[in-house]
């Protein structure tokens, strides 16, 4: 936000206040003690502030302490953003008979946000607008498989899904995908147990230009030109097939915007 302020004897300090009722009152102090020469202020809008009738007031004080103020001319509004998951920790675990707590990292997590597996609501604790803790019941992690986790805010906006891999308690018997990303036209698939000559399957289609990464051949596969087949925000299913025919878990990957 920007403003102008002047006084014959100089402006010594300034305040910025917020109204949520169209300027009828300004109960919220956003900043105090702003230097007299400042004419702008950056306010990080809280992610859970969703209002239609917001206004700003700037109060400037002269050297004598006399105040003058100005309000924004029109209302402005803030809108809720969709939650976004960037990672889940841990994202690969062994099968177990007990519940599992995971930490979900991302952004735009509001008060009341919950972790979801399908339609099942998880016991969830909000740590911050970028972190949640969710507990998966024992029946979901007692056998090998891929669990798809999402976050839903109270306004019903839902994040893209991300995967948690549950391995057999004895360890992985074949390839396992733990993550994926796009770099230019390349699709990068991360995991464990990738054999020499392993191939990426994208929605069931073999990516013939798949190669093992030179530095990390058993944990990174590169699908040359496969990235161009995935549009922003599109979700695809990835599978890795080793040369012996063993298949990985099915991994849901959503390309970021």
């Amino acid at each position: 936000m920007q403003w102008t302020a002047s006084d014959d004897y100089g402006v010594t300090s300034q305040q910025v206040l917020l109204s949520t009722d169209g300027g009828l009152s300004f109960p919220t102090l956003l900043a105090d003690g702003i230097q007299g020469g400042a004419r702008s202020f950056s306010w990080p809008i809280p992610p859970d502030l969703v209002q239609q009738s917001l206004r700003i007031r700037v109060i400037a004080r002269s050297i004598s302490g006399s105040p003058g103020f100005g309000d924004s001319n029109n209302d402005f509004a803030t809108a809720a953003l969709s939650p976004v998951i960037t990672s889940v920790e841990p994202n690969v675990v062994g099968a177990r008979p007990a519940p599992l707590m995971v930490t979900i990292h991302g952004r735009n997590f509001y008060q009341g946000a919950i972790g979801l597996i399908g339609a099942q609501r998880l016991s969830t604790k909000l740590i911050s607008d970028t972190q949640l803790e969710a507990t998966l019941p024992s029946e979901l992690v007692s056998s090998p498989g891929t669990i798809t986790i999402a976050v839903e805010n109270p306004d019903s906006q839902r994040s893209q899904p991300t995967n948690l891999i549950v391995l057999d308690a004895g360890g992985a018997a074949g390839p396992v995908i733990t993550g994926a990303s796009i770099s230019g036209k390349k699709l990068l698939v991360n995991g464990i147990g990738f054999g020499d000559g392993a191939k990426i399957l994208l929605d069931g289609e073999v990516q013939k230009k798949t190669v093992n990464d030179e530095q990390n051949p058993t944990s990174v596969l590169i699908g040359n030109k496969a990235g161009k087949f995935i549009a922003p925000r599109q979700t695809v299913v990835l599978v890795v097939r080793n040369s012996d025919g063993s298949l990985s878990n099915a991994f849901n990957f959503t390309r970021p915007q």
Side-chain angles (χ1 to χ4, degrees), residues 11 39 52 57 95 109 142 168-169 182 205 215-216 219 236:
V11 176
R39 296 295 180 265
Q52 298 296 316
R57 170 172 290 177
F109 299 156
S142 60
D168 184 85
I182 299 289
E205 293 290 329
Q215 300 296 321
N216 303 284
S219 60
V236 297

Side-chain angles (χ1 to χ4, degrees), residues 51-127:
Q51 295 282 348
Q52 298 296 316
S53 302
L54 300 173
R55 292 202 182 202
I56 296 293
R57 170 172 290 177
V58 176
I59 300 176
R61 298 185 183 277
S62 68
I63 194 170
S64 66
S66 300
F69 69 88
D71 298 345
S72 51
N73 294 327
N74 300 297
D75 292 350
F76 66 95
T78 55
L81 300 174
S82 298
V84 175
I85 297 176
T86 56
S87 65
V88 173
E89 295 180 358
N91 66 343
V92 179
V93 298
R96 63 196 60 207
L100 172 70
M101 188 179 76
V102 298
T103 301
I104 304 172
H105 299 278
R107 58 184 182 273
N108 308 329
F109 299 156
Y110 300 164
Q111 187 67 43
I114 58 168
L116 293 174
I117 295 178
Q120 183 172 348
R121 300 163 67 93
L122 303 177
S123 175
T124 307
K125 178 181 179 181
L126 178 71
I127 305 301

Side-chain angles (χ1 to χ4, degrees), residues 58-247:
V58 176
I59 300 176
R61 298 185 183 277
S62 68
I63 194 170
S64 66
S66 300
F69 69 88
D71 298 345
S72 51
N73 294 327
N74 300 297
D75 292 350
F76 66 95
T78 55
L81 300 174
S82 298
V84 175
I85 297 176
T86 56
S87 65
V88 173
E89 295 180 358
N91 66 343
V92 179
V93 298
R96 63 196 60 207
L100 172 70
M101 188 179 76
V102 298
T103 301
I104 304 172
H105 299 278
R107 58 184 182 273
N108 308 329
F109 299 156
Y110 300 164
Q111 187 67 43
I114 58 168
L116 293 174
I117 295 178
Q120 183 172 348
R121 300 163 67 93
L122 303 177
S123 175
T124 307
K125 178 181 179 181
L126 178 71
I127 305 301
S128 70
D129 62 349
T130 62
Q131 185 174 320
L132 297 171
E133 289 181 350
T135 300
L136 283 65
S138 57
E139 61 267 22
L140 293 178
V141 292
S142 60
S143 58
T146 300
I147 298 172
T148 301
I149 300 175
V151 170
E152 185 175 276
N153 277 336
D155 62 0
S156 297
Q157 292 195 81
R158 187 175 295 192
S159 74
Q160 86 287 6
T162 193
N163 295 280
L164 170 69
I165 311 302
V166 181
L167 302 177
D168 184 85
V176 176
I177 301 175
T178 60
S181 60
I182 299 289
S183 177
K185 295 181 180 179
K186 296 179 180 179
L187 170 65
L188 308 180
V189 176
N190 303 94
I192 56 177
F194 299 158
D196 186 37
K199 298 297 182 185
I200 299 169
L201 281 68
L202 194 161
D203 284 341
E205 293 290 329
V206 177
Q207 302 305 299
K208 297 180 180 179
K209 295 185 180 295
T210 303
V211 296
N212 297 76
D213 180 66
E214 292 183 1
Q215 300 296 321
N216 303 284
T218 63
S219 60
V220 179
L221 292 178
I222 303 171
N224 289 304
K225 298 186 178 181
K228 68 179 183 179
F229 299 122
I230 309 173
R233 301 185 67 85
Q234 179 184 357
T235 298
V236 297
V237 178
L238 304 177
V239 173
V240 167
R241 185 179 67 197
N242 276 345
S243 56
D244 63 2
S246 59
L247 298 174

